[in-house]
Amino acid sequence: MAGTRLACGHRPILEQKYDIDHVMKAKTIREFDERFTSKMFGYPSNDDYYRDASPIHKIKSVAVPLLCLNAADDVFSPNHAFPVEAVKQNPNVALLITCHGGHIGFLEGLWPRQSTYMDRVFRQFTSAVFENGRSLDDLH
């Protein structure tokens, strides 16, 4: 696993602050976040880290056009966790959910080096915002 190789390659530095053996024995994403991620970012608890990382508390204050792209099969951001109701309350936010794409997905081709689905969607969204400006308000 790439993450394991990366962590082991930086072990001398990481083990100054973390119990790397304990971190590497994590069986779930939540365990890994409890043992490493939340601590690395200075959160007192995993719940504090998850609360701060969640967009649900920030969606209502978005004041510029924002496109959120997520795949329903993303294991890190599962379909049931999407803040659909919060998005519906803010006309500046669009949520595009695809059936497939995984986490950091939307790669195309055997060797994805060209523009991906995600690149094209965000480029189209950005162009629409800049080209149509305030006329987008009429869509609400």
Side-chain angles (χ1 to χ4, degrees), residues 2 12 19 23 38 44 46 48 54 60-61 68 70 77 92 94 98 100 106 110 131 135-136 139-140:
D19 180 351
V23 169
S38 60
N46 213 36
D48 292 313
S54 173
K60 63 184 171 199
S61 63
C68 303
N70 216 116
S77 181
N92 293 311
T98 64
H100 304 287
F106 310 109
L110 185 59
E131 290 171 12
S135 65
L136 292 174
L139 298 175
H140 304 295

mmCIF file of all heavy atoms in Angstrom, residues 2 12 19 23 38 44 46 48 54 60-61 68 70 77 92 94 98 100 106 110 131 135-136 139-140:
data_model
loop_
_atom_site.group_PDB
_atom_site.id
_atom_site.type_symbol
_atom_site.label_atom_id
_atom_site.label_comp_id
_atom_site.label_asym_id
_atom_site.label_seq_id
_atom_site.Cartn_x
_atom_site.Cartn_y
_atom_site.Cartn_z
ATOM 1 N N ALA A 2 0.555 2.215 -0.839
ATOM 2 C CA ALA A 2 1.388 3.414 -0.987
ATOM 3 C C ALA A 2 1.502 4.186 0.316
ATOM 4 O O ALA A 2 2.564 4.692 0.657
ATOM 5 C CB ALA A 2 0.821 4.298 -2.088
ATOM 6 N N PRO A 12 11.374 7.818 10.788
ATOM 7 C CA PRO A 12 12.210 8.479 11.806
ATOM 8 C C PRO A 12 11.652 9.832 12.253
ATOM 9 O O PRO A 12 11.759 10.187 13.423
ATOM 10 C CB PRO A 12 13.562 8.640 11.114
ATOM 11 C CG PRO A 12 13.592 7.568 10.070
ATOM 12 C CD PRO A 12 12.165 7.421 9.605
ATOM 13 N N ASP A 19 2.957 7.130 17.681
ATOM 14 C CA ASP A 19 3.241 5.710 17.829
ATOM 15 C C ASP A 19 2.911 5.054 16.483
ATOM 16 O O ASP A 19 1.778 4.626 16.242
ATOM 17 C CB ASP A 19 2.390 5.114 18.951
ATOM 18 C CG ASP A 19 2.642 3.632 19.165
ATOM 19 O OD1 ASP A 19 3.346 3.000 18.340
ATOM 20 O OD2 ASP A 19 2.118 3.096 20.158
ATOM 21 N N VAL A 23 -0.420 3.317 14.842
ATOM 22 C CA VAL A 23 -1.096 3.937 13.704
ATOM 23 C C VAL A 23 -1.264 2.921 12.578
ATOM 24 O O VAL A 23 -2.349 2.787 11.996
ATOM 25 C CB VAL A 23 -0.311 5.169 13.195
ATOM 26 C CG1 VAL A 23 -0.861 5.659 11.860
ATOM 27 C CG2 VAL A 23 -0.338 6.290 14.228
ATOM 28 N N SER A 38 -6.196 13.313 13.189
ATOM 29 C CA SER A 38 -6.697 14.364 14.082
ATOM 30 C C SER A 38 -5.580 14.903 14.973
ATOM 31 O O SER A 38 -5.513 16.099 15.252
ATOM 32 C CB SER A 38 -7.884 13.875 14.910
ATOM 33 O OG SER A 38 -7.527 12.785 15.707
ATOM 34 N N PRO A 44 -8.212 18.145 19.525
ATOM 35 C CA PRO A 44 -8.267 17.438 20.803
ATOM 36 C C PRO A 44 -8.949 16.074 20.696
ATOM 37 O O PRO A 44 -8.687 15.186 21.493
ATOM 38 C CB PRO A 44 -9.065 18.370 21.717
ATOM 39 C CG PRO A 44 -9.708 19.373 20.838
ATOM 40 C CD PRO A 44 -8.952 19.389 19.540
ATOM 41 N N ASN A 46 -11.121 13.184 17.711
ATOM 42 C CA ASN A 46 -11.510 12.846 16.354
ATOM 43 C C ASN A 46 -12.825 13.534 15.992
ATOM 44 O O ASN A 46 -13.005 13.997 14.863
ATOM 45 C CB ASN A 46 -11.650 11.324 16.229
ATOM 46 C CG ASN A 46 -11.275 10.838 14.858
ATOM 47 O OD1 ASN A 46 -10.367 11.378 14.240
ATOM 48 N ND2 ASN A 46 -11.957 9.827 14.386
ATOM 49 N N ASP A 48 -13.859 16.405 17.025
ATOM 50 C CA ASP A 48 -13.546 17.803 16.709
ATOM 51 C C ASP A 48 -12.994 17.929 15.289
ATOM 52 O O ASP A 48 -13.359 18.842 14.543
ATOM 53 C CB ASP A 48 -12.536 18.373 17.704
ATOM 54 C CG ASP A 48 -13.112 18.531 19.091
ATOM 55 O OD1 ASP A 48 -14.231 19.064 19.212
ATOM 56 O OD2 ASP A 48 -12.440 18.121 20.054
ATOM 57 N N SER A 54 -16.124 18.900 8.197
ATOM 58 C CA SER A 54 -17.412 18.731 7.536
ATOM 59 C C SER A 54 -17.883 20.034 6.911
ATOM 60 O O SER A 54 -17.896 21.078 7.558
ATOM 61 C CB SER A 54 -18.461 18.254 8.536
ATOM 62 O OG SER A 54 -19.739 18.251 7.928
ATOM 63 N N LYS A 60 -23.890 27.079 4.646
ATOM 64 C CA LYS A 60 -24.844 28.197 4.740
ATOM 65 C C LYS A 60 -24.192 29.563 4.558
ATOM 66 O O LYS A 60 -24.849 30.518 4.175
ATOM 67 C CB LYS A 60 -25.595 28.140 6.067
ATOM 68 C CG LYS A 60 -24.713 28.303 7.279
ATOM 69 C CD LYS A 60 -25.498 28.131 8.554
ATOM 70 C CE LYS A 60 -24.530 28.074 9.727
ATOM 71 N NZ LYS A 60 -25.122 27.497 10.886
ATOM 72 N N SER A 61 -22.889 29.674 4.781
ATOM 73 C CA SER A 61 -22.225 30.975 4.671
ATOM 74 C C SER A 61 -21.505 31.183 3.329
ATOM 75 O O SER A 61 -20.881 32.217 3.133
ATOM 76 C CB SER A 61 -21.241 31.165 5.825
ATOM 77 O OG SER A 61 -20.218 30.196 5.755
ATOM 78 N N CYS A 68 -19.732 21.562 -5.841
ATOM 79 C CA CYS A 68 -19.201 20.420 -5.085
ATOM 80 C C CYS A 68 -19.431 19.175 -5.928
ATOM 81 O O CYS A 68 -20.561 18.890 -6.323
ATOM 82 C CB CYS A 68 -19.915 20.277 -3.752
ATOM 83 S SG CYS A 68 -19.846 21.735 -2.714
ATOM 84 N N ASN A 70 -18.954 15.073 -6.062
ATOM 85 C CA ASN A 70 -18.694 13.915 -5.215
ATOM 86 C C ASN A 70 -19.291 12.682 -5.876
ATOM 87 O O ASN A 70 -20.300 12.768 -6.568
ATOM 88 C CB ASN A 70 -19.330 14.093 -3.838
ATOM 89 C CG ASN A 70 -18.495 13.504 -2.726
ATOM 90 O OD1 ASN A 70 -18.035 14.235 -1.868
ATOM 91 N ND2 ASN A 70 -18.295 12.204 -2.733
ATOM 92 N N SER A 77 -16.263 9.712 1.804
ATOM 93 C CA SER A 77 -17.358 10.674 1.889
ATOM 94 C C SER A 77 -18.613 9.979 1.371
ATOM 95 O O SER A 77 -19.037 10.190 0.246
ATOM 96 C CB SER A 77 -17.024 11.905 1.038
ATOM 97 O OG SER A 77 -18.046 12.845 1.117
ATOM 98 N N ASN A 92 -26.112 29.648 -3.834
ATOM 99 C CA ASN A 92 -24.755 29.778 -4.363
ATOM 100 C C ASN A 92 -24.043 28.439 -4.507
ATOM 101 O O ASN A 92 -22.949 28.378 -5.069
ATOM 102 C CB ASN A 92 -23.915 30.687 -3.455
ATOM 103 C CG ASN A 92 -24.402 32.104 -3.474
ATOM 104 O OD1 ASN A 92 -24.624 32.672 -4.531
ATOM 105 N ND2 ASN A 92 -24.608 32.670 -2.303
ATOM 106 N N ALA A 94 -23.904 24.406 -5.675
ATOM 107 C CA ALA A 94 -24.414 23.322 -6.502
ATOM 108 C C ALA A 94 -23.698 22.045 -6.079
ATOM 109 O O ALA A 94 -22.483 22.046 -5.867
ATOM 110 C CB ALA A 94 -24.159 23.607 -7.980
ATOM 111 N N THR A 98 -22.217 11.951 -8.708
ATOM 112 C CA THR A 98 -22.190 10.910 -9.736
ATOM 113 C C THR A 98 -22.332 9.551 -9.066
ATOM 114 O O THR A 98 -22.039 9.408 -7.873
ATOM 115 C CB THR A 98 -20.877 10.952 -10.532
ATOM 116 O OG1 THR A 98 -19.795 10.660 -9.638
ATOM 117 C CG2 THR A 98 -20.660 12.311 -11.189
ATOM 118 N N HIS A 100 -20.591 6.856 -9.785
ATOM 119 C CA HIS A 100 -19.266 6.251 -9.633
ATOM 120 C C HIS A 100 -18.189 7.328 -9.719
ATOM 121 O O HIS A 100 -18.404 8.383 -10.259
ATOM 122 C CB HIS A 100 -19.030 5.192 -10.704
ATOM 123 C CG HIS A 100 -20.071 4.136 -10.729
ATOM 124 N ND1 HIS A 100 -20.172 3.163 -9.764
ATOM 125 C CD2 HIS A 100 -21.092 3.923 -11.579
ATOM 126 C CE1 HIS A 100 -21.197 2.389 -10.035
ATOM 127 N NE2 HIS A 100 -21.779 2.821 -11.130
ATOM 128 N N PHE A 106 -12.640 10.005 -10.767
ATOM 129 C CA PHE A 106 -12.932 10.652 -12.032
ATOM 130 C C PHE A 106 -11.735 10.625 -12.974
ATOM 131 O O PHE A 106 -11.621 11.451 -13.860
ATOM 132 C CB PHE A 106 -13.441 12.089 -11.831
ATOM 133 C CG PHE A 106 -14.561 12.172 -10.827
ATOM 134 C CD1 PHE A 106 -14.350 12.748 -9.587
ATOM 135 C CD2 PHE A 106 -15.804 11.651 -11.116
ATOM 136 C CE1 PHE A 106 -15.371 12.820 -8.664
ATOM 137 C CE2 PHE A 106 -16.834 11.708 -10.197
ATOM 138 C CZ PHE A 106 -16.620 12.295 -8.975
ATOM 139 N N LEU A 110 -6.197 4.428 -19.134
ATOM 140 C CA LEU A 110 -5.236 3.570 -18.455
ATOM 141 C C LEU A 110 -4.165 4.385 -17.749
ATOM 142 O O LEU A 110 -3.774 4.094 -16.626
ATOM 143 C CB LEU A 110 -4.600 2.606 -19.460
ATOM 144 C CG LEU A 110 -3.651 1.559 -18.908
ATOM 145 C CD1 LEU A 110 -4.361 0.680 -17.889
ATOM 146 C CD2 LEU A 110 -3.094 0.702 -20.023
ATOM 147 N N GLU A 131 -18.848 33.903 -17.480
ATOM 148 C CA GLU A 131 -19.515 34.380 -18.691
ATOM 149 C C GLU A 131 -20.922 34.896 -18.422
ATOM 150 O O GLU A 131 -21.407 35.778 -19.124
ATOM 151 C CB GLU A 131 -19.561 33.269 -19.739
ATOM 152 C CG GLU A 131 -18.192 32.948 -20.316
ATOM 153 C CD GLU A 131 -18.198 31.701 -21.189
ATOM 154 O OE1 GLU A 131 -19.297 31.203 -21.536
ATOM 155 O OE2 GLU A 131 -17.101 31.225 -21.511
ATOM 156 N N SER A 135 -26.504 37.002 -14.125
ATOM 157 C CA SER A 135 -27.709 36.383 -14.696
ATOM 158 C C SER A 135 -27.958 35.005 -14.090
ATOM 159 O O SER A 135 -29.044 34.468 -14.211
ATOM 160 C CB SER A 135 -27.611 36.296 -16.215
ATOM 161 O OG SER A 135 -26.566 35.432 -16.600
ATOM 162 N N LEU A 136 -26.977 34.449 -13.417
ATOM 163 C CA LEU A 136 -27.185 33.176 -12.723
ATOM 164 C C LEU A 136 -28.173 33.318 -11.578
ATOM 165 O O LEU A 136 -28.812 32.361 -11.179
ATOM 166 C CB LEU A 136 -25.859 32.622 -12.197
ATOM 167 C CG LEU A 136 -24.848 32.166 -13.254
ATOM 168 C CD1 LEU A 136 -23.539 31.773 -12.581
ATOM 169 C CD2 LEU A 136 -25.398 31.021 -14.047
ATOM 170 N N LEU A 139 -31.686 31.937 -11.962
ATOM 171 C CA LEU A 139 -31.927 30.503 -11.892
ATOM 172 C C LEU A 139 -32.496 30.075 -10.546
ATOM 173 O O LEU A 139 -32.974 28.973 -10.410
ATOM 174 C CB LEU A 139 -30.617 29.739 -12.157
ATOM 175 C CG LEU A 139 -29.989 29.959 -13.528
ATOM 176 C CD1 LEU A 139 -28.648 29.246 -13.597
ATOM 177 C CD2 LEU A 139 -30.912 29.488 -14.636
ATOM 178 N N HIS A 140 -32.458 30.939 -9.553
ATOM 179 C CA HIS A 140 -32.908 30.581 -8.209
ATOM 180 C C HIS A 140 -34.417 30.571 -8.147
ATOM 181 O O HIS A 140 -35.125 31.381 -8.504
ATOM 182 C CB HIS A 140 -32.364 31.553 -7.154
ATOM 183 C CG HIS A 140 -30.868 31.645 -7.187
ATOM 184 N ND1 HIS A 140 -30.060 30.595 -6.875
ATOM 185 C CD2 HIS A 140 -30.043 32.664 -7.555
ATOM 186 C CE1 HIS A 140 -28.802 30.967 -7.002
ATOM 187 N NE2 HIS A 140 -28.761 32.213 -7.416
#
